[in-house]
Structure formats: structure tokens, C-alpha cells
Amino acid sequence: MARRKKVYEGKAKILYEGPEPGTFVQYFKDDATAGNGAKKDVIDGKGVLNNRLSEFFMTGLNNIGVPTHFIKRLNMREQLIRQVEIIPLEVICRNFAAGSMAKRLGLEEGTALPRPIVEFCYKDDKLGDPLVPEEYVIAFGWATQQDLDDIVALALRVNDFLSGVMHGVGIKLVDFKIEVGRIWDGDYARLVVADEISPDSCRLWDIETGAKLDKDVFRRDLGSLADAYTEVARRLGVLPSNVTHRPKPTLIN
Ligand code: UDP
């Protein structure tokens, strides 16, 4: 018999029913995907690192008054979260051009943007999460104008917090993605940061060397993803003492 009811399984995480109504348990898998699932692998220890890193960022946000779905970490791979109604948008905030923006506008990756730019993609794997203008979001009823104003304000606060924290450990926050959820309190909905914040959903470059410390290492075959994430966790002081990622033993003949 299953230990508990699975509510949803995504590419990198599983949601289970939580111990109390209004809660879920979020389980971090070791699976890595890129290009909307076109490239797949299992990266030993990634789930453990992302669980810790997401705990670290979400706790920091809660502490400075930016609401998130995070309640507490339960174990190496699981955290207790508030159940939210996910707004079907990937909210992307960019400080420097990279990835799809660099490509679309013909900008060199790393070009500083005149100010942080927040953009929205409609969450739909079959469509490849297309970039959508605010007009679409409002016209199709995915969020109201008021929600969008609040989401932009939330994303910019997350950006300032994450940029500062990362700068403190010699890392440049190039861009990141968050998801936002609604928590209903009677007729009133509060917007909170949901999903995860980890090197899977951020672009992180070493300030000195420019080395990539995020999922681009996997997307672009630049080396060991686990080593890159371990480096981020080590610098932030959140490396669990018994992290599962260790160099594989080599056979000596
Ligand atoms: N991102 C993400 N999930 C997605 C798409 C993007 O977490 O499904 C993050 C990505 O890691 C980067 C930022 O959002 O930090 C901007 O990604 P971009 O639009 O440049 O997309 P990509 O180049 O990855 O296709």
C-alpha cells in the first residue's frame, strides 16, 4: 500500500497529500530534464541539494516578509508546504540577458539590462511554455491586472533578496523563474511564492570566473551538475553533512 496519496508528479518533484488539510509534502527527485523533457538524466544527490537550497531561500524570504508556501523541511528530500492554487504562469525575472532572451533579441549573454525585467510564460508543457504578454494573461483570465501588479512586486522583492544573498558569496544572479500561488482566506486571496527556488530555476554565474553554477551545466553539457550545485550549497553554508553526492569510486585493477 502506498505510504500516502500522490497528488501530482512533475519532472523534478512529487507532491503528496500533507498531514493536515491545506498542506502538501513536496518530494525532490534526482531527475533532471531540459528542453521541455527532450534531454533527461538522473543526477545523484540533486534532489537533496535542491531541497536544502529551496529551504534556505524560502526561509530567508519568509524572514524578510515575502510570503512563500514553505512551512518546514521534513527530511533530506521532503518539505512541508502550504497548499496553494497555482497561477499557470512561469514568472521570469532577468538582470542580465541570457538564454531565450539573448537569442530572441540577438544580445550577447551577460549583457546588463537597463533594469530588472519581469516576463510571463504560460505554463503548458505541450506548447513549450510560450512567452505571453500581460494582455493575454488578463484576457484569458489566468490572473487579474491587480494580481499581475502584485506578482511583479513580489518577483522584484525576490530578485533583490536573491541577488544580494548570491552576491555575498561571489555569485551573479543572471535570471530566475518563480511560480506564484493563491491562498484563499474567505473571499480574499493572498499571493505567495510557490514551487521551488534552486539552481534548477536560476542562472547563477561565478562573479570572478563567469563559470556557470546552474542547470545550464546540464542543458549545455558543461560538466558535472552535482558539482556545480554542491558548490552553490557550500558557499551558502547549507551543505548537509551527509550529502549523497560524492565522487564515484574508481576501480583499480
Ligand atoms: N526557467 C525555468 N523553467 C522553465 C524555463 C525557464 O526554471 O521551464 C528558468 C531558467 O532556468 C532561467 C530563467 O527561467 O533561469 C529564464 O529562462 P529562459 O527563458 O532564458 O529559458 P531557456 O533559455 O532556459 O529556455
Side-chain angles (χ1 to χ4, degrees):
M1 198 179 82
R3 194 156 53 111
R4 61 197 154 190
K5 198 167 153 220
K6 193 192 278 187
V7 179
Y8 174 80
E9 177 154 7
K11 291 188 283 261
K13 297 185 296 291
I14 305 173
L15 286 183
Y16 295 99
E17 253 176 17
E20 287 166 38
T23 64
F24 283 145
V25 171
Q26 179 165 252
Y27 176 98
F28 287 76
K29 302 195 278 187
D30 280 343
D31 302 48
T33 63
N36 200 12
K39 183 174 155 79
K40 280 189 200 159
D41 205 352
V42 174
I43 313 284
D44 234 7
K46 180 175 87 84
V48 175
L49 287 160
N50 280 355
N51 185 25
R52 289 277 180 164
L53 285 163
S54 203
E55 170 195 19
F56 176 79
F57 296 126
M58 296 282 187
T59 304
L61 288 168
N62 284 339
N63 287 343
I64 62 162
V66 178
T68 80
H69 72 164
F70 181 82
I71 302 172
K72 65 173 181 176
R73 188 171 59 81
L74 297 171
N75 56 48
M76 298 280 279
R77 287 186 183 273
E78 294 175 330
Q79 46 185 244
L80 186 67
I81 58 169
R82 301 275 307 265
Q83 194 174 336
V84 304
E85 185 183 295
I86 287 282
I87 294 177
L89 297 174
E90 305 219 317
V91 179
I92 294 175
C93 181
R94 303 176 183 272
N95 299 304
F96 299 86
S100 65
M101 172 191 248
K103 216 163 159 187
R104 193 176 317 115
L105 301 182
L107 292 171
E108 194 181 331
E109 286 211 307
T111 306
L113 300 175
R115 61 180 174 85
I117 293 176
V118 178
E119 66 189 35
F120 306 104
C121 294
Y122 178 53
K123 261 172 73 74
D124 186 320
D125 279 347
K126 287 196 291 301
L127 300 175
D129 301 336
L131 182 67
V132 288
E134 287 199 8
E135 276 287 296
Y136 285 24
V137 176
I138 294 161
F140 290 111
W142 301 324
T144 64
Q145 181 65 61
Q146 182 61 57
D147 287 337
L148 283 183
D149 294 347
D150 293 346
I151 290 170
V152 169
L154 201 58
L156 292 175
R157 288 193 75 191
V158 173
N159 186 40
D160 282 347
F161 171 76
L162 286 182
S163 296
V165 167
M166 299 315 298
H167 181 262
V169 295
I171 294 174
K172 182 193 276 195
L173 178 68
V174 174
D175 57 30
F176 64 93
K177 185 259 314 188
I178 53 169
E179 292 184 23
V180 175
R182 290 190 187 94
I183 295 180
W184 288 96
D185 187 1
D187 284 344
Y188 178 75
R190 222 156 48 90
L191 296 179
V192 305
V193 179
D195 191 49
E196 73 178 297
I197 300 178
S198 75
D200 267 6
S201 52
C202 300
R203 282 200 169 90
L204 305 170
W205 296 357
D206 182 89
I207 288 177
E208 297 267 302
T209 66
K212 296 188 195 323
L213 299 170
D214 56 60
K215 207 163 102 177
D216 275 349
V217 171
F218 173 73
R219 292 188 190 103
R220 304 180 188 187
D221 291 320
L222 299 175
S224 159
L225 189 73
D227 285 352
Y229 287 22
T230 302
E231 176 62 13
V232 175
R234 190 191 64 75
R235 289 197 200 183
L236 293 169
V238 297
L239 198 62
S241 50
N242 52 349
V243 67
T244 58
H245 173 64
R246 299 227 166 72
K248 291 227 163 60
T250 35
L251 190 65
I252 300 168
N253 294 308

